[in-house]
Amino acid sequence: MAILELILQVILGITSLLLTLLILLHKGRGGGLSDMFGGGMTSALGSSGLAERNLNRFTIVLALVWFITIVGLGLITKFQVI
C-alpha cells in the first residue's frame, strides 16, 4: 500500500505542476502568458482556435487525473491501518 501511495503522490506533484503551466498558458482577457509565446499574434490572425481547443482538452484531462489522484490518496489515507 505504501508503494501505491508513493506513486500517487508523485503523480499528484507532476500533474499539479503541469496543470499550473497549462492554466497559465490559456488566453485571458488581457493576454497573459500565452501572448508571451506568440499567442497574441496568432489570435490577431484568427488561427488560434484549434490550439486553444486542444489546450482546453489537455487541461480538462489533466484536471481529471489530478482529481482522481487526490480522491485515491484520500481513500488510502482514510482506510489505512496504523
Side-chain angles (χ1 to χ4, degrees):
M1 203 55 111
I3 295 173
L4 180 61
E5 186 175 0
L6 180 67
I7 290 171
L8 287 177
Q9 286 176 353
V10 169
I11 291 172
L12 181 64
I14 291 171
T15 55
S16 295
L17 291 174
L18 288 175
L19 195 58
T20 303
L21 178 70
L22 286 178
I23 289 172
L24 286 175
L25 284 175
H26 278 288
K27 180 180 176 186
R29 291 183 184 165
L33 194 60
S34 61
D35 283 343
M36 186 185 303
F37 297 109
M41 289 177 46
T42 55
S43 65
L45 297 174
S47 63
S48 68
L50 181 63
E52 192 71 25
R53 278 187 297 213
N54 286 337
L55 186 60
N56 287 339
R57 290 178 187 145
F58 291 143
T59 305
I60 290 170
V61 168
L62 196 61
L64 288 174
V65 170
W66 182 80
F67 179 75
I68 291 169
T69 304
I70 287 180
V71 170
L73 278 171
L75 290 174
I76 287 174
T77 303
K78 182 177 180 178
F79 295 115
Q80 192 172 33
V81 177
I82 297 174

